[in-house]
Amino acid sequence: MILPVAGHLHRPQWSVMIPAYNCLGYLGETLASVLAQDPGPAHMQIMVVDDCSTDGDVAALVQTIGKGRVDYYRQATNVGSLRNFETCLNRSVGHWVHILHGDDRVAVGFYAEIESLFRDHPEAGAAFTNTTNLTMGATGEKLMDRPPLVPERGIIKDFLFRIAEGQKLETPSIVVKRSVYEQLGGFFAVHYGEDWEMWVRIAARYPIAYSPRCLAQYRYLNSTSISTRYIKEGQNIRDITKVINIIQQYLPSEHRKELKKQALRHYAGYCMLLADSLYYTDSQACDAQRKGAIGMSKHPAVIYLAFKLYTKHLIQYKEIKRFLKKDSGLNTTQPK
């Protein structure tokens, strides 16, 4: 439950709530990206909510970078991501709430663009921008802009149907009116895909505004993230399947069957691509994603991707066998 803000408290326009757990190596960048756009404490609350991190002194980092501008709250015990998000929402006091994970960033202009969207479209329950993916390559950090959902800024027509087919945005890109969270509640049910369920829930009740500008920066599959761990364990398959079943209740009955089929196909394809990317680095995770994908959908496109992955495995197996045979021959040949 997300409780209303107490009447005696000052309410700024913004609450930037930063859930953090063992992301000390990135948190400084996150804070700097917000502080670079800080309109001042009268207009923006900034708070780090630490879920008992064990990778360093989060409070000291917040003090060093924030210099008293950023509030810090540490959970008494580790409560997990869902309850930590709930704490973020309940400790927020602004009219617009931005949940910015402690390993993500926002580009200069993000808050101005969101404010412009809300001003132009006051009926919107939430507003978001396009996203840049952050990944680590051999030569350092790589940035890749996502294709825009639509070319023009404004309310996205039929966004409920679009997002019911599959996730269309990342958490750092979206800002939600606190009154919407108060009415609809917080994140629940799963730890992978909980954000997708929330955005569908909101889209079923409110118009959603969008800007194609890439002003949010999402750190894609960093090695310590919850998403990475769940993919490795195959829990993402189970959670996404649960979310797909939950969101059916938010959809018009005549569209549920087709949208569910498309969602299962979408995520099966995504998991099969994950399996391919994990092939050389984590065979167990690769196998979990491959099996899970086939279990979600038997669509020809998914079967084709599975066949490609099997073929890659077969070719590599034959090459290794040929190499070992050749190597074995070399090792057993005796000099004359």
Side-chain angles (χ1 to χ4, degrees):
M1 177 182 295
I2 310 305
L3 301 174
V5 177
H8 68 278
L9 294 177
H10 166 70
R11 298 200 64 184
Q13 193 64 60
W14 291 94
S15 282
V16 180
M17 309 303 292
I18 304 174
Y21 178 69
N22 286 356
C23 56
L24 195 70
Y26 302 117
L27 183 58
E29 296 177 30
T30 304
L31 291 171
S33 74
V34 176
L35 291 170
Q37 308 172 63
D38 177 20
H43 303 285
M44 179 180 283
Q45 172 193 20
I46 308 173
M47 176 181 284
V48 171
V49 180
D50 179 16
D51 193 18
C52 287
S53 294
T54 60
D55 61 344
D57 193 338
V58 179
L61 178 69
V62 170
Q63 179 59 37
T64 298
I65 295 176
K67 295 179 171 58
R69 173 66 181 91
V70 179
D71 294 325
Y72 175 74
Y73 177 82
R74 179 179 172 88
Q75 301 281 10
T77 60
N78 179 268
V79 297
S81 59
L82 292 180
R83 298 289 70 79
N84 207 42
F85 298 160
E86 182 177 65
T87 299
C88 285
L89 294 175
N90 276 316
R91 295 187 75 87
S92 69
V93 294
H95 295 283
W96 303 337
V97 181
H98 182 209
I99 294 181
L100 178 63
H101 291 184
D103 55 355
D104 296 328
R105 302 192 307 235
V106 285
V108 173
F110 174 81
Y111 294 106
E113 184 70 358
I114 293 292
E115 183 164 355
S116 177
L117 285 170
F118 276 136
R119 299 301 185 202
D120 292 343
H121 306 282
E123 73 277 19
F128 71 105
T129 72
N130 200 3
T131 304
T132 297
N133 282 346
L134 305 174
T135 57
M136 292 303 296
T139 59
E141 188 175 77
K142 298 191 298 183
L143 286 75
M144 184 181 70
D145 291 348
R146 293 190 175 190
L149 286 179
V150 293
E152 303 294 332
R153 69 192 303 277
I155 298 295
I156 300 181
K157 184 180 179 181
D158 296 330
F159 185 64
L160 173 61
F161 297 149
R162 285 172 174 259
I163 197 168
E165 293 175 358
Q167 179 65 287
K168 307 297 183 187
L169 62 119
E170 300 296 345
T171 302
S173 72
I174 189 167
V175 176
V176 180
K177 291 179 177 177
R178 197 184 193 282
S179 58
V180 172
Y181 283 128
E182 291 170 12
Q183 182 174 1
L184 300 185
F187 300 85
F188 78 101
V190 296
H191 289 85
Y192 184 97
E194 79 291 346
D195 54 338
W196 180 37
E197 185 279 331
M198 174 62 78
W199 315 146
V200 178
R201 201 185 334 157
I202 294 172
R205 299 287 295 275
Y206 298 91
I208 307 294
Y210 169 75
S211 168
R213 296 177 63 194
C214 289
L215 295 173
Q217 299 178 345
Y218 171 69
R219 199 170 297 279
Y220 182 69
L221 294 182
N222 85 68
S223 60
T224 62
S225 72
I226 295 173
S227 297
T228 300
R229 188 173 75 247
Y230 272 59
I231 287 168
K232 184 179 179 65
E233 297 170 355
Q235 182 64 39
N236 65 311
I237 304 285
R238 296 183 287 276
D239 279 4
I240 285 296
T241 302
K242 184 174 182 178
V243 168
I244 289 172
N245 288 326
I246 289 173
I247 65 176
Q248 300 310 302
Q249 63 185 296
Y250 309 143
L251 307 174
S253 57
E254 66 271 21
H255 294 283
R256 290 175 185 171
K257 183 177 180 180
E258 182 59 29
L259 288 172
K260 181 176 182 178
K261 183 168 67 176
Q262 291 181 28
L264 288 169
R265 173 188 169 186
H266 171 84
Y267 275 101
Y270 172 73
C271 292
M272 197 61 76
L273 292 175
L274 271 178
D276 186 63
S277 69
L278 292 165
Y279 181 78
Y280 292 107
T281 59
D282 193 329
S283 60
Q284 182 178 356
C286 170
D287 195 48
Q289 297 303 306
R290 178 186 61 81
K291 290 179 179 178
I294 294 175
M296 292 176 87
S297 174
K298 301 294 193 300
H299 188 275
V302 177
I303 300 301
Y304 171 72
L305 290 173
F307 177 75
K308 282 184 64 178
L309 190 62
Y310 173 76
T311 302
K312 178 190 289 189
H313 173 78
L314 189 62
I315 291 172
Q316 186 189 42
Y317 171 77
K318 288 181 177 179
E319 288 178 349
I320 292 174
K321 187 175 181 181
R322 189 182 306 115
F323 173 79
L324 290 175
K325 184 177 181 180
K326 180 180 178 181
D327 189 55
S328 176
L330 288 171
N331 289 338
T332 55
T333 301
Q334 300 297 318
K336 293 182 180 179

